[in-house]
Structure formats: C-alpha cells, structure tokens
Amino acid sequence: MLYHLLYSLHEHVSAFNVFRYITFRTIIAGLSAFLICFAAGPLVIRFMREKQIGQYIRRLGPASHRDKAGTPTMGGVLIVGSVAAATLFWIDLKSYYTWVVMFVMAGFFAIGFADDYLKLILKRNRGLRAWSKFSMQVAIAAAAAVMLYYYPDFSSRITIPFVKAFSPDLGIFYLVFAVVIIVGASNAVNLTDGLDGLAIGPLIIAAGTYMLFAYVAGHSQIAQYLQINYVEGSGELTIFCGALAGAGLGFLWFNAHPAQIFMGDVGSLPLGAVLGTVAIITKQEILLIIVGGVFVLEALSVIIQVGYFKFTGGKRIFRMAPLHHHFELKGWAESKVIIRFWIIAILLALISFSTLKLR
Ligand code: 57M
C-alpha cells in the first residue's frame, strides 16, 4: 500500500523513484517487519502472560526443559502479523505470486492457531488430532498447488541443483510434488522448534537465501546470464522474503536463549509452509533440501528413530528424536546445540549459493 502511495509521488518529486526498486523495498520491508515485531513483542509477551497462555512441558523430555514451563507461547502471531503487515506495505499489490504465498501463510496460521488454541487455551492436551491437522495442511497446500499449476506460464519442470541439462517435467504430478514440499517443510520446521532460537535461526538464513533466489529468478537478464529459470513476477517475493527475515530477527530478539516467548504451532506451521511455497515459485524446489537442511535432518532423525523403534520392537538409534534432543542428552549445553545448528544452516546456505555457478 505504501509502495503504491509513495511511488505515485515520483511524478512530483523524483526522489520517490527509489520505491520502484525491488532491492530498496526489500530493505525497508525487512526493517519494517523487524521494527513491528520488536515493538509489539513486549505487548504480546505481557498479553500471553496475563492470559496464562504458557507452555506445558512434557515430563518425558530432557530435564533442562522443566524450567521452561509457563514460558509464553503463540509468538507466531507476532511473526506472521509482522510479515503480513510489512509485505502489504511494500509489495506491488498486483503480484499474484505474493498473494499465493500469503494465502498459504494465512491457511497454515489458522491450522496452527486452532491447534494451539485447543492445547493452551481450552487446555485440551493434544490439540488437533494428528489426522485432521494433516488433512487440513494437505487441503491448503493442494489449493496453493492448483493456483500455481494453472497460472499461465507456470512451469511444471523442476530444477535439480548442480545439474543444468536435466530438468524433468512432472506434468500433472507437479501438484502432488508441490503438496509434499509445502506440507513437508511445514512439519519439518515444527519438529525443529524445540530449543530457543533453533527454528527461527535457520529460518532467517533460509529466508535470506531465497531472497537472493527470488531476485535472480524474477530478473530476466540475471536469470539468463546465470542460466536459471526466469519466473516473471517472482521478483516481488524478494520483498516477502526480506519481511520474513526481518520479522524472524525481531522474534529472535525475544526467543534468544533463555527465551521469553516460543512461537507455537501458529508460528512453526506457516513459516515452514511459506518457505516451501517460495521454493516452488522460484523453481528452486529441490534446493530446499539443502537450504532447509537443518529442518530436513531433524525430520529424518524422527523418521529413522520411529521406524527403527517399531522395526526392532523398542530399540533406538538416537538417545532421543528429534536430533537436538540427542545432543542435549549427550550433555551439550542448549546454547551450544543451537549455535552449532545455526553454523550448519549458514554453511548450507553458502553451498546453495554455489549452485548458481556450479552446474
Ligand atoms: C513440536 N515442540 C516442542 C513450543 C513451540 C513424532 C515426534 C517426534 C513429535 C515430536 C513433536 O511433538 N514435535 C513437535 C515440538 C515444545 O515446543 C512447543 O511446540 C511449539 C512448536 N510446535 O513453539 O510452543 C517444547 O520445545 C521446547 N522449546 C524451547 N524453545 C523454543 O523456542 O525450548 C520450544 C521452542 C517446549 C520447550 O521445551 O515445551 C517439544 O519438543 O515438545 N515429539 C518430540 O519431540 C518428543 N520426542 C519423542 O517422543 N521421541 C521419541 C520417539 C520419536 C520414538 C524417542 O526419540 O524416543 C519429545 N518432546 C519433548 N519431550 N518435549 C519427547 C520429550
């Protein structure tokens, strides 16, 4: 909205021309999202505390987590609110792809909200039933996949990192592929969200990485120069990714160890889902396995642990899944696990940048 208003003034004052540039709008979207989150944070934390919307801690978990009981949660309201506001301020409102991403964010936000509401406010211990939560995730992801697949010019070809010559066309199966990416990313971020800053750190790094990929995919000359898929209109997603990274930093301010607030499902579910959607639109779908490698490792540790546990009738590979619990139980301090996982996320981001040249 502010973009349309301010840019229209360039006819009178040429300095307003600067609002035309995606790069400039990305910077101010990131800063605005950070400031909104930073300013609203204390109010949300106080509100959650007053309403006693605090975390219930399972007795099974590592002992160090018992001190966390009662920490305010549902901080996702803060993150998603800041991302939505900053995006609406600074994108071109005619950007179709941004609306698809916003739709996914709103849908997964609603699912996460319902789950947290049942768990934390109505104190129904388990929240939404796993099956109904999963069906709702699939329904929203499928709606987004249809919106993209039937959009003129949207390609059903996928890009394989490090391989230039092979770009298979999935045809109608792209719909299933897109649903798997969106739902998978959402649940992987949710599983990772078990230590202070553990999910939001890699998420900020992934948002920063896709910020670059959205920019190059939406710029015809750069895309041609780098020989990557040009996706007309995807450049506006750079601004969305900037807002995501900015809001993430704002949230990390409060979620940094020892956390004053957790994000809850209302945060982890939409954040993972939007990352998956941006990966799909920018045609860097498979790259998400590298960019979101920390989330993938966490999810794999659960799959391996549960599979092995069932197969062997009760034996475990990890001391506890997801992976961060394994390291905690090995005696690593919480902050060490968190910062080491961030280091891995940064290295993975660097590796994914290299795919622009190494093919
Ligand atoms: C969410 N949620 C945290 C917070 C956060 C299939 C199974 C592996 C599923 C998995 C699971 O339920 N994962 C989903 C993990 C929880 O955090 C809340 O949940 C939100 C995200 N959805 O925003 O509201 C706890 O995590 C800690 N936390 C922080 N800082 C943060 O910034 O410290 C969260 C955010 C919080 C807090 O302690 O209470 C969670 O872990 O519950 N299940 C598990 O992770 C369980 N693993 C398990 O059962 N493993 C077995 C299986 C796989 C065979 C095994 O390995 O033997 C463990 N989870 C916990 N305790 N808490 C079991 C022990």
Side-chain angles (χ1 to χ4, degrees):
M1 290 170 275
L2 287 178
Y3 156 62
H4 292 282
L5 182 74
L6 295 171
Y7 181 56
S8 66
L9 298 176
H10 80 280
E11 284 161 17
H12 311 288
V13 184
S14 63
F16 285 102
N17 236 329
V18 70
F19 289 100
R20 218 182 75 206
Y21 298 104
I22 285 178
T23 42
F24 182 71
R25 283 186 286 132
T26 302
I27 295 168
I28 43 178
L31 290 174
S32 349
F34 174 83
L35 286 175
I36 298 168
C37 204
F38 182 75
L43 308 176
V44 173
I45 293 171
R46 198 178 320 138
F47 177 84
M48 299 301 183
R49 210 171 266 138
E50 273 166 16
K51 298 280 171 212
Q52 300 197 330
I53 305 176
Q55 187 69 42
Y56 161 80
I57 306 282
R58 279 182 275 178
R59 289 187 52 213
L60 272 170
S64 56
H65 284 248
R66 308 225 169 106
D67 299 344
K68 295 175 183 250
T71 306
T73 185
M74 292 185 83
V77 173
L78 190 63
I79 313 173
V80 172
S82 314
V83 175
T87 304
L88 291 176
F89 283 160
W90 301 113
I91 55 151
D92 178 347
L93 292 171
K94 292 190 292 298
S95 159
Y96 180 78
Y97 288 133
T98 314
W99 286 113
V100 175
V101 178
M102 295 285 263
F103 163 79
V104 170
M105 188 164 77
F108 279 74
F109 175 88
I111 301 169
F113 191 91
D115 197 30
D116 285 341
Y117 189 84
L118 290 174
K119 267 192 278 197
L120 303 161
I121 299 175
L122 300 186
K123 313 277 179 209
R124 228 175 75 180
N125 235 345
R126 295 184 144 257
L128 284 175
R129 280 179 211 293
W131 183 244
S132 47
K133 189 163 147 186
F134 182 70
S135 323
M136 286 190 258
Q137 290 180 319
V138 170
I140 305 280
V146 168
M147 286 182 212
L148 294 175
Y149 183 77
Y150 290 102
Y151 186 63
D153 292 340
F154 190 78
S155 161
S156 49
R157 286 189 179 280
I158 57 170
T159 312
I160 318 272
F162 302 111
V163 183
K164 188 160 48 185
F166 183 57
S167 173
D169 190 346
L170 300 189
I172 193 80
F173 293 105
Y174 195 91
L175 290 169
V176 180
F177 175 74
V179 170
V180 171
I181 300 253
I182 298 173
V183 175
S186 172
N187 288 313
V189 171
N190 187 31
L191 287 172
T192 308
D193 190 27
L195 295 179
D196 302 345
L198 188 69
I200 201 68
L203 197 113
I204 295 166
I205 296 162
T209 308
Y210 272 107
M211 192 163 85
L212 180 90
F213 280 98
Y215 187 73
V216 296
H219 194 296
S220 61
Q221 282 120 322
I222 302 179
Q224 194 183 15
Y225 170 69
L226 292 171
Q227 297 186 14
I228 60 161
N229 277 306
Y230 166 56
V231 186
E232 195 181 350
S234 69
E236 288 289 317
L237 286 185
T238 317
I239 297 158
F240 176 85
C241 291
L244 194 58
L249 285 173
F251 179 72
L252 182 58
W253 190 273
F254 305 106
N255 185 233
H257 186 60
Q260 294 159 272
I261 190 164
F262 299 153
M263 66 171 80
D265 280 17
V266 75
S268 58
L269 296 183
L271 295 184
V274 294
L275 207 56
T277 315
V278 170
I280 290 167
I281 297 173
T282 53
K283 295 275 118 211
Q284 296 292 348
E285 311 94 336
I286 308 283
L287 189 74
L288 186 58
I289 297 174
I290 303 176
V291 179
V294 166
F295 306 127
V296 174
L297 287 176
E298 292 269 27
L300 275 181
S301 73
V302 171
I303 295 168
I304 294 169
Q305 179 91 326
V306 174
Y308 192 76
F309 191 87
K310 287 195 176 147
F311 188 70
T312 57
K315 286 196 188 148
R316 289 179 165 83
I317 289 194
F318 303 104
R319 294 188 184 192
M320 190 184 276
L323 199 55
H324 53 264
H325 286 318
H326 173 77
F327 292 112
E328 273 195 295
L329 292 177
K330 273 184 81 171
W332 293 19
E334 179 169 351
S335 52
K336 205 173 230 19
V337 182
I338 299 161
I339 294 177
R340 286 186 172 165
F341 277 44
W342 289 355
I343 294 173
I344 295 169
I346 294 171
L347 295 175
L348 290 168
L350 293 177
I351 294 172
S352 46
F353 289 143
S354 76
T355 65
L356 286 171
K357 279 286 173 197
L358 297 179
R359 274 178 302 151

